[in-house]
């Protein structure tokens, strides 16, 4: 059978890894796919550099349109990243009848609905395993392996940079800045590291996971996003004393009234597997009504782990491209005409437990007033610690039972207006992942 012909947009870290894995494992891959998969054309910025690396085996161009318009190319692999020109190129490739493989989570989180609709209309596939958690086959797991289940929730460490930073801050007492510089040196961070540290990269990935878990359109703009840049090392240490580790989690939950979609640092009990995912590793928990909780772990970034996902998509597309489009796995795992309009809930409606830390005057009645204030807002205290902090002050930490975020917002506003309260209230959410 003729080889499947692939055009690559970009020969950076993931593009280079894809070339290497496809070349090294060509025979094994052909045995699995039923035919060879060959990269026949690549668009790169620096053609001379790419030529020196790859030799004459492949057509090179500095024009991406040469790839998306090449009539010989069956599959376009988009590894440019970002929104434009990636969006325009992907849409043009689709309208030229090419299948797409992409690692571009930002593009799909923002324009996935448009891109999937265009692909369905053209009868082509858009495969994006590499867009979420790198080498972990989490998309395959949710869309196919767990397809029998009503998914209840997904919670994951889906940004390696922030997990690396948090791990180094906790275990080696490194500062945020030093740990970030080290993560960048190791190649984990996005080109713009604010996407990593502010939770945006994780929210792109979570948006896609939520759509596949619950069959709702992609709705990045409704995700609640908090990063780790303002996290105090004091809270990392205190959490540890209380039996928790702080992780940047992406969490999406289906409730009767809607879907929670949120990325933020969270205290996770340290006996949970997720709490022990350290360094740049990623892990995703998915809980289904039939299967119960499941956990997927692996490298979420890097040259060959991400290439592993890209090449798996190339094999999938190669196997399925002659199938009737109506019988392929739908892009988001649910048939496009069976998507749900279940709303994404605003953060004020989220229900979880909280860690609240504040500094107060150490005097009679303070605790009683705080407890009353919380009780008036239906917030139940699970445990608390109080420690003198000098200068007739004390630090107080409350761990609450489950409460509504909107009630906690009100409690914080009222607490901060009290005369005996000396600090802002630090609020972190707790996820028990039970
Ligand atoms: N910058 C991402 C991370 C890698 O740190 O996980 C690719 O998504």
């Amino acid at each position: 059978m003729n080889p499947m012909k692939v055009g690559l947009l970009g020969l950076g870290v993931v593009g280079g890894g894809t070339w290497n894995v496809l070349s090294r494992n060509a025979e094994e891959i052909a045995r699995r796919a039923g035919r060879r998969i060959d990269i026949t054309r690549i668009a790169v910025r620096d053609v001379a550099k790419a030529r020196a690396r790859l030799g004459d085996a492949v057509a090179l161009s500095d024009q991406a349109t040469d790839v998306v318009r090449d009539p010989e190319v069956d599959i376009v692999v988009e590894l440019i990243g970002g929104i434009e020109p990636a969006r325009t190129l992907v849409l043009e490739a689709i309208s030229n009848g090419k299948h797409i493989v992409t690692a571009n989570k930002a593009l799909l989180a923002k324009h996935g609905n448009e891109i999937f609709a265009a692909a369905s209309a053209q009868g082509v596939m858009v495969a994006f395993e590499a867009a979420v958690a790198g080498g972990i086959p989490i998309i395959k797991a949710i869309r196919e392996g767990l397809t029998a289940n009503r998914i209840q929730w997904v919670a994951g460490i889906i940004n390696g940079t922030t997990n690396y930073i948090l791990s180094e801050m906790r275990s080696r007492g490194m500062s945020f800045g030093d740990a970030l510089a080290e993560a960048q040196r190791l190649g984990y961070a996005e080109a713009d590291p604010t996407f990593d540290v502010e939770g945006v990269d994780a929210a792109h990935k979570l948006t896609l996971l939520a759509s596949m878990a619950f069959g709702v359109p992609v709705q990045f703009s409704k995700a609640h996003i908090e990063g780790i840049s303002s996290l105090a090392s004091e809270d990392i240490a205190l959490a540890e004393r209380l039996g928790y580790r702080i992780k940047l989690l992406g969490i999406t939950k289906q409730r009767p009234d809607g879907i929670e979609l949120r990325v933020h640092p969270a205290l996770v009990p340290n006996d949970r597997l997720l709490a022990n995912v350290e360094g740049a590793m990623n892990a995703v928990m998915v809980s289904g009504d039939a299967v119960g909780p499941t956990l997927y772990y692996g490298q979420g970034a890097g040259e060959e782990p991400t290439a592993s996902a890209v090449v798996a998509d190339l094999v999938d597309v190669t196997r399925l491209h002659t199938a009737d489009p109506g019988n392929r796995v739908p892009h988001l795992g649910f048939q496009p005409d069976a998507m749900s309009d279940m709303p994404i809930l605003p953060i004020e409606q989220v229900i979880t437990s909280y860690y609240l830390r504040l500094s107060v005057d150490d005097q009679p009645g303070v605790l009683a007033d705080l407890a009353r204030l919380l009780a008036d807002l239906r917030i139940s205290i699970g445990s608390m610690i109080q420690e003198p902090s000098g200068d007739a002050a004390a630090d107080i930490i409350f761990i609450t039972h489950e409460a509504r975020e909107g009630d906690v917002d009100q409690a914080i506003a009222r607490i901060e207006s009290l005369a005996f309260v000396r600090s802002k209230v630090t609020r972190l959410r707790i996820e028990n992942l039970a």
Side-chain angles (χ1 to χ4, degrees), residues 91-397:
L91 288 171
E92 181 172 351
I94 288 171
S95 73
N96 291 338
K98 323 256 179 241
H99 302 289
I100 304 293
V101 171
T102 179
N104 193 335
K105 56 257 162 172
L107 177 65
L108 294 180
K110 289 197 165 165
H111 299 283
N113 300 324
E114 175 191 25
I115 288 169
F116 297 140
S120 297
Q122 274 290 338
V124 298
M125 286 172 266
V126 177
F128 52 100
E129 187 65 73
V132 183
I136 305 175
I138 187 64
I139 290 174
K140 194 84 170 169
I142 294 181
R143 286 197 323 194
E144 299 178 52
L146 300 176
T147 198
N149 288 263
R150 192 167 48 75
I151 305 286
Q152 296 153 324
W153 52 264
V154 179
I157 295 171
I158 44 180
N159 181 269
T161 302
T162 43
N163 203 49
Y164 179 86
I165 292 171
L166 292 173
S167 298
E168 296 296 287
M169 287 174 77
R170 185 189 64 79
S171 63
R172 295 172 57 198
M174 269 174 109
S175 72
F176 173 80
D178 286 350
L180 170 60
E182 186 69 4
Q184 285 177 294
R185 196 183 63 74
L186 292 168
Y188 302 138
E190 295 296 296
D192 177 353
T194 56
F195 270 32
D196 294 298
V197 299
E198 298 307 342
V200 177
D201 174 73
H204 288 148
K205 296 167 183 166
L206 183 72
T207 299
L208 295 169
L209 291 174
S211 290
M212 288 180 290
F214 308 126
V216 292
V218 175
Q219 296 167 79
F220 172 72
S221 62
K222 296 192 182 149
H224 175 82
I225 311 174
E226 287 173 36
I228 62 165
S229 60
S230 55
L231 195 64
S233 38
E234 196 179 349
D235 291 308
I236 296 178
L238 273 166
E240 180 143 52
R241 273 179 52 199
L242 292 164
Y244 297 93
R245 288 200 183 156
I246 298 185
K247 295 291 178 189
L248 183 73
L249 291 187
I251 302 163
T252 184
K253 266 186 207 173
Q254 183 154 37
R255 299 194 341 214
D257 50 343
I259 291 167
E260 295 185 6
L261 184 65
R262 49 193 170 98
V263 170
H264 52 72
L267 279 74
V268 179
N270 60 18
D271 59 356
R272 299 288 188 272
L273 288 170
L274 218 51
N276 293 282
V277 172
E278 296 287 30
M281 299 305 282
N282 281 201
V284 184
M285 282 185 83
V286 184
S287 182
D289 66 335
V291 72
T294 59
L295 176 67
Y296 310 83
Y297 171 85
Q299 296 188 60
E303 190 169 328
E304 293 212 355
T306 312
S308 166
V310 170
V311 175
D313 277 347
L314 289 172
V315 172
D316 247 8
V317 172
T318 300
R319 284 172 173 157
L320 291 173
H321 85 118
T322 53
D324 173 352
N327 292 330
R328 294 181 190 140
V329 181
H331 291 115
L332 293 170
F334 288 74
Q335 297 299 333
D337 60 0
M339 298 298 278
S340 154
D341 58 2
M342 179 78 97
I344 306 294
L345 296 168
I347 188 68
E348 294 74 25
Q349 288 183 36
V350 159
I351 296 172
T352 190
S353 306
Y354 293 83
Y355 161 108
L356 305 173
R357 175 172 63 80
L358 61 151
S359 171
V360 294
D361 293 341
D362 195 355
Q363 68 189 28
V366 164
L367 257 187
D369 286 356
L370 290 171
R372 180 77 262 149
L373 187 156
L374 291 172
D376 286 347
L377 287 161
R378 302 166 299 278
I379 299 167
S380 173
I381 300 166
S383 60
M384 66 142 298
I385 51 179
Q386 176 181 328
E387 287 191 340
S389 57
D391 191 23
D395 289 331
I396 293 182
I397 292 130

Side-chain angles (χ1 to χ4, degrees), residues 66-78:
D66 289 347
V67 172
V68 304
R69 293 175 189 166
D70 182 342
E72 294 287 304
V73 164
D74 303 299
I75 310 173
V76 169
V77 179
E78 184 274 304

